Amino acid sequence: AQSVAQPEDQVNVAEGNPLTVKCTYSVSGNPYLFWYVQYPNRGLQFLLKYITGDNLVKGSYGFEAEFNKSQTSFHLKKPSALVSDSALYFCAVRDSSYNTDKLIFGTGTRLQVFP
Amino acid sequence: KAGVTQTPRYLIKTRGQQVTLSCSPISGHRSVSWYQQTPGQGLQFLFEYFSETQRNKGNFPGRFSGRQFSNSRSEMNVSTLELGDSALYLCASSPMPLAGGETQYFGPGTRLLVL
């Protein structure tokens, strides 16, 4: 079965420093990978996705992610963190097994950016 | 373009009652998926509708049902509510189903509290 793991419950970073939120996946076949962000009492906002092509994907709000097939990872990165980036981040993978087609989400990583 | 809208935003029900949640997708989007978000189970897929047909269903009991109308608006219904049904219910829309590498865009969610 397809799965996605976010090994860190929380990531703390100082404003202006680079940030990384980790995600690893397990899929059969070519993965469709996504990053979403959730602010308090809000739905999920799409940041970026990898379907095929360049391993470095650029998304909204200055975020980017690097697809690494050999390490089965899709880490989210930003060169310079903002306090307003503080939120809950979810990695997701498309699951097309067992005659279904849905997103499977990681458990989420809370990013805290300190001024 | 207006985003995904969900109504109502908040609901309080008692055990045994039933509830209907509504989702209006982004204009032009024909695929609607529903997810349940709880602190314990995280984000879990409920079902997906496309062209008024349920394409996929997650691992939820038959008390959870849904439908999609000809204008792509969708409703989900939960009958005989249980305390464990308390959750944030998220609706997501995309132009086509996930199989084509589509991005799902989420609404703000309906927060359901079962007492």
Side-chain angles (χ1 to χ4, degrees):
Chain A
Q2 329 288 49
S3 65
V4 61
Q6 295 180 244
E8 301 157 317
D9 290 336
Q10 180 154 330
V11 169
N12 299 316
V13 64
E15 188 174 32
N17 282 0
L19 69 88
T20 299
V21 183
K22 296 179 180 178
C23 172
T24 59
Y25 65 89
S26 174
V27 302
S28 55
N30 295 320
Y32 291 178
L33 296 158
F34 302 80
W35 275 103
Y36 286 87
V37 60
Q38 186 175 36
Y39 294 96
N41 299 314
R42 302 281 295 274
L44 302 177
Q45 293 182 29
F46 169 73
L47 286 176
L48 49 82
K49 69 179 179 183
Y50 173 83
I51 303 298
T52 187
D54 290 341
N55 290 342
L56 185 62
V57 180
K58 293 189 182 297
S60 306
Y61 313 118
F63 284 94
E64 58 188 29
E66 186 169 8
F67 171 68
N68 188 317
K69 189 172 184 177
S70 62
Q71 297 186 4
T72 61
S73 67
F74 189 56
H75 301 332
L76 181 70
K77 300 182 180 184
K78 188 174 182 181
S80 178
L82 300 172
V83 172
S84 57
D85 293 330
S86 299
L88 188 57
Y89 290 79
F90 290 96
C91 181
V93 65
R94 175 198 169 215
D95 178 12
S96 58
S97 59
Y98 303 107
N99 280 332
T100 187
D101 202 359
K102 63 183 183 289
L103 288 180
I104 293 179
F105 287 87
T107 51
T109 298
R110 187 164 300 282
L111 174 66
Q112 190 73 46
V113 181
F114 296 95
Chain B
K1 195 181 271 191
V4 178
T5 58
Q6 293 187 244
T7 57
R9 292 293 310 278
Y10 303 94
L11 265 179
I12 300 177
K13 293 285 187 179
T14 57
R15 278 180 299 174
Q17 288 187 309
Q18 74 165 13
V19 66
T20 298
L21 312 182
S22 181
C23 171
S24 292
I26 293 171
S27 177
H29 286 194
R30 296 166 59 198
S31 175
V32 173
S33 295
W34 290 88
Y35 294 83
Q36 182 197 63
Q37 185 178 22
T38 60
Q41 299 298 317
L43 282 152
Q44 293 187 289
F45 171 77
L46 280 157
F47 24 65
E48 179 197 17
Y49 287 88
F50 177 71
S51 293
E52 302 177 66
T53 301
Q54 186 181 90
R55 294 185 70 248
N56 302 288
K57 190 176 192 306
N59 189 25
F60 279 81
R63 300 185 296 107
F64 291 81
S65 62
R67 58 178 175 168
Q68 186 180 34
F69 302 94
S70 59
N71 62 357
S72 295
R73 191 176 70 85
S74 177
E75 289 181 347
M76 67 164 280
N77 184 276
V78 188
S79 61
T80 320
L81 283 166
E82 300 177 0
L83 295 179
D85 297 333
S86 295
L88 181 66
Y89 290 89
L90 294 165
C91 168
S93 78
S94 57
M96 297 292 285
L98 271 176
E102 297 287 346
T103 298
Q104 290 188 337
Y105 295 92
F106 284 78
T110 295
R111 186 165 295 281
L112 171 64
L113 177 61
V114 181
L115 301 176

